[in-house]
Amino acid sequence: MSTAYKESADPESQALLPQDRDYAPPEQTQPARRTYRLRHVVLAYAAGILSAVLVEFFLCSRYNVSLFPERNTPVYAGYANPDAGSTEVHHFPPSKPTNVFPSLFPTSVGYAGPTPTGAEAALVATAPSYPLHTGAPHLLGPLALSRNTSSSKSDSHFDIFKHWGNLSPWFSVERGAFGLDSGPEAPETCRVTGLHLLHRHGARYPTEFASYGGPANFSARLHNAAAGWNASGDLEFMNNWTYKLGEEILTPFGRQQLFDLGVSMRMKYGFLLKNFTETNTLPVFRTESQDRMLASALNFAIGFFGYPFEDQYQQSITIEANGYNNTLAPYKTCPNAGDSTKADRAIPYVKQWAGIYLHDALERLRPQLHGYELTIEDVYTLQQMCAYETVAIGYSKFCELFTEDEWKGFNYALDLYFWYDSAFGSPVARVQGIGYVQELVSRLTHTPIPLHNSSTNATLDDNSATFPLGQSLYVDATHEVVVLNVITALNLTTFAADGPLPADHIPEHRAFKSSHLAPFATNIQFQLLSCESHADPQIRVIINDGVVPLTGIRGCPEDKDGKCPVSVFVDAQREIIGQTDWNWACHGNWSVPSGPAWNTTTGDAPAPGSV
């Protein structure tokens, strides 16, 4: 019996002794006898119950553990909290707040004071250099990462936020990351005349569906089994961990990302708005109806135009739903994009690679979770949890569980996923990106789309109000898969140089990195230039501030700044459009074997009769 228990029990035992002052001790010649009253019996009974509870508390568990566990059921020092793994939700705002008085809190009361405006910002045209975006303000990385890093392989410049694939916050890639020692600022002798911006939504909660991993699925399994497992060591925090993530919508950090992106683009390209003043028109920006897409577009607008943004631009909201043509969500009208045998070919590659790079992590973590058998997929999910929790609530203990090499492995696992599902290794990548390319060509040439034979929407694109031509600034919001579809459709082949990507090792100096191309709030600038050194207007493609070589586009020259004549660029894209068969790729009855038995590095479906 513990000392603490004795100290608590002895006084109570003493209290059970008779305390009646009228009690007379018997004569010493007779044996002593004790008398007990009803209250003494009751107190003794209560003390017995309390003793049993205390023994169970200290020797078994402080939670719901039976005194008589079932046979063959292991008993650990402490099972997980019954709430472990459960979903924690904070509903705000309240549905019917009691203190709402709209008439007392107007958004404007007049008396604004002087409001003269100044000249528009033109940083991309006037500044001697270009500001870099570090990517993760307000987020905290793992404090213990250094403990998990081999000193011989440690990289003092390692940034975990840049190793989460598509779950990374967008950041300015290093100068020369795509092969050109050039920056987004206007090249010498050139001035910027226009911008077509395509960007992804901001950081979000996990999506409803996950073909591999999936934080919500894992947390539910943990919660359902909470009465039978406990964690120790590095995983001890999981005994009381709850699932705090929502689903699909933007996180607060995601909202900030798009606000910041809007501010950034206004600072760099605000001078392009003068063209609208001169033509007495307003810009038309596009997004689609999904909650995070609309929220991203509106947060961008608040950053770009300021509050209130009404009467400064027009927001086109296309519908993301089955049956609606939409270049920003082309999979909704491409049936083969919903066929996992064609559109979800990455999973065998991801599983193979996860089994390699997470082998040591599984061996390290499995003994720390008792009563629940961790798998490779579970450990992969813990890495997903790190990224999702960080962009949702600012910090995650899961991030501390892995080494630098394991984070590099995670980053590559997501490269494999998007290479084979959405980019050059997918047979339905180019066809899904071709509709946006058709719209881009239409805008660049100031001519309507001649033939709607893809995901383009004739009702909207043939209307000069909803799809205006001849403007100097366009902004479209979409998903990361569509960004990769467009990169593939444009034939930016420098990113396909290492393909097909292997599943047994990370290629050294690989060109295709999803963290570079498709992070949260990723953005592609199609920058239009007028240069004294070139007779024709020029175009450049800039992805997350990295200039992309256009040598994969037929006729585009090698250029140190990535320039290509607009007319040459357009002719090459028209050729690609003509070679892309929407009906066959999206509706054709074709199939491809899983794994490396069939591959593409162009994002095209197999030609009829070839498979």
Side-chain angles (χ1 to χ4, degrees), residues 299-353:
N299 277 283
F300 179 95
I302 293 174
F304 191 88
F305 295 107
Y307 177 83
F309 53 69
E310 290 82 359
D311 302 325
Q312 296 193 61
Y313 87 119
Q314 298 181 97
Q315 183 70 63
S316 173
I317 306 172
T318 59
I319 296 175
E320 179 172 351
N322 291 332
Y324 289 87
N325 275 29
N326 189 342
T327 60
L328 305 177
Y331 37 82
K332 291 298 184 179
T333 49
C334 180
N336 283 343
D339 183 342
S340 61
T341 64
K342 300 177 176 67
D344 198 15
R345 300 184 66 251
I347 299 306
Y349 297 92
V350 175
K351 287 182 177 180
Q352 180 183 346
W353 173 240

Side-chain angles (χ1 to χ4, degrees), residues 184-198:
E185 64 275 7
E188 291 185 13
T189 79
C190 298
R191 62 183 180 87
V192 176
T193 60
L195 173 70
H196 299 241
L197 180 69
L198 177 67

Side-chain angles (χ1 to χ4, degrees), residues 196-197 286 434-447 449 467 469 474 476 486 490 526 528 539 541 569-570 573 577:
H196 299 241
L197 180 69
R286 296 191 306 168
I434 206 65
Y436 187 85
V437 174
Q438 288 177 281
E439 292 176 333
L440 178 64
V441 168
S442 174
R443 288 167 166 175
L444 290 174
T445 59
H446 307 168
T447 58
I449 297 173
F467 191 76
L469 302 175
Y474 296 94
D476 298 320
V486 171
L490 289 168
F526 297 93
L528 301 180
I539 187 172
V541 177
F569 180 90
V570 165
Q573 297 307 320
I577 292 169

Side-chain angles (χ1 to χ4, degrees), residues 14 41 80 158 172 188 192 220 226 272 275 286 300 302 331 341 411 428 437 452 460 469 471 505 553 562 607:
Q14 295 299 320
V41 175
F158 180 80
S172 297
E188 291 185 13
V192 176
L272 295 175
N275 297 288
R286 296 191 306 168
F300 179 95
I302 293 174
Y331 37 82
T341 64
N411 199 38
V428 290
V437 174
H452 293 281
L460 297 175
L469 302 175
Q471 297 193 338
H505 70 281
I553 298 173

Side-chain angles (χ1 to χ4, degrees), residues 80-86 215-229 238 241 369 372 374 378 382 385 398:
N81 187 318
D83 291 331
S86 64
N217 298 334
F218 178 67
S219 67
R221 291 196 299 273
L222 281 182
H223 179 53
N224 292 337
W229 64 267
M238 292 181 64
W241 170 80
L369 193 60
Y372 183 98
L374 275 178
D378 291 333
L382 299 184
M385 201 82 74
F398 290 103

Side-chain angles (χ1 to χ4, degrees), residues 291-607:
D291 185 277
R292 66 179 179 271
M293 297 306 311
L294 180 56
S296 292
L298 297 182
N299 277 283
F300 179 95
I302 293 174
F304 191 88
F305 295 107
Y307 177 83
F309 53 69
E310 290 82 359
D311 302 325
Q312 296 193 61
Y313 87 119
Q314 298 181 97
Q315 183 70 63
S316 173
I317 306 172
T318 59
I319 296 175
E320 179 172 351
N322 291 332
Y324 289 87
N325 275 29
N326 189 342
T327 60
L328 305 177
Y331 37 82
K332 291 298 184 179
T333 49
C334 180
N336 283 343
D339 183 342
S340 61
T341 64
K342 300 177 176 67
D344 198 15
R345 300 184 66 251
I347 299 306
Y349 297 92
V350 175
K351 287 182 177 180
Q352 180 183 346
W353 173 240
I356 295 171
Y357 88 89
L358 286 176
H359 175 270
D360 290 348
L362 179 63
E363 294 301 308
R364 185 175 66 249
L365 296 175
R366 179 178 275 170
Q368 301 180 47
L369 193 60
H370 319 286
Y372 183 98
E373 190 75 6
L374 275 178
T375 66
I376 286 290
E377 184 173 0
D378 291 333
V379 178
Y380 176 81
T381 306
L382 299 184
Q383 291 190 295
Q384 290 180 309
M385 201 82 74
C386 158
Y388 278 120
E389 281 196 343
T390 301
V391 299
I393 58 179
Y395 178 75
S396 174
K397 286 284 290 183
F398 290 103
C399 299
E400 300 183 8
L401 303 177
F402 302 95
T403 67
E404 285 185 14
D405 285 342
E406 286 159 359
W407 284 118
K408 292 174 182 178
F410 179 69
N411 199 38
Y412 186 62
L414 288 165
D415 294 346
L416 289 169
Y417 180 81
F418 285 99
W419 169 274
Y420 287 105
D421 270 24
S422 304
F424 299 94
S426 167
V428 290
R430 185 190 296 276
V431 71
Q432 291 186 81
I434 206 65
Y436 187 85
V437 174
Q438 288 177 281
E439 292 176 333
L440 178 64
V441 168
S442 174
R443 288 167 166 175
L444 290 174
T445 59
H446 307 168
T447 58
I449 297 173
L451 178 64
H452 293 281
N453 58 354
S454 66
S455 58
T456 58
N457 189 306
T459 302
L460 297 175
D461 289 353
D462 287 348
N463 187 327
S464 61
T466 52
F467 191 76
L469 302 175
Q471 297 193 338
S472 58
L473 176 65
Y474 296 94
V475 178
D476 298 320
T478 189
H479 301 273
E480 83 271 41
V481 293
V482 182
V483 170
L484 293 171
N485 294 161
V486 171
I487 289 172
T488 304
L490 289 168
N491 210 37
L492 302 181
T493 56
T494 53
F495 298 121
D498 303 315
L501 295 186
D504 58 357
H505 70 281
I506 302 176
E508 189 175 5
H509 308 304
R510 70 189 185 281
F512 185 88
K513 294 182 179 181
S514 53
S515 59
H516 285 184
L517 303 177
F520 285 131
T522 190
N523 53 93
I524 303 180
Q525 303 176 34
F526 297 93
Q527 191 183 70
L528 301 180
L529 302 167
S530 176
C531 304
E532 295 176 5
S533 53
H534 297 80
D536 298 324
Q538 304 289 304
I539 187 172
R540 296 201 300 169
V541 177
I542 302 167
I543 302 177
N544 296 324
D545 293 339
V547 182
V548 180
L550 301 184
T551 50
I553 298 173
R554 187 181 59 79
C556 287
E558 290 189 13
D559 184 273
K560 66 181 183 66
D561 293 309
K563 301 189 302 294
C564 180
V566 173
S567 59
V568 174
F569 180 90
V570 165
D571 287 345
Q573 297 307 320
R574 282 174 170 163
E575 183 177 336
I576 292 173
I577 292 169
Q579 294 171 349
T580 304
D581 189 340
W582 173 272
N583 286 332
W584 170 249
C586 281
H587 298 271
N589 185 21
W590 51 269
S591 62
V592 292
S594 62
W598 180 90
N599 265 305
T600 175
T601 56
T602 62
D604 286 309

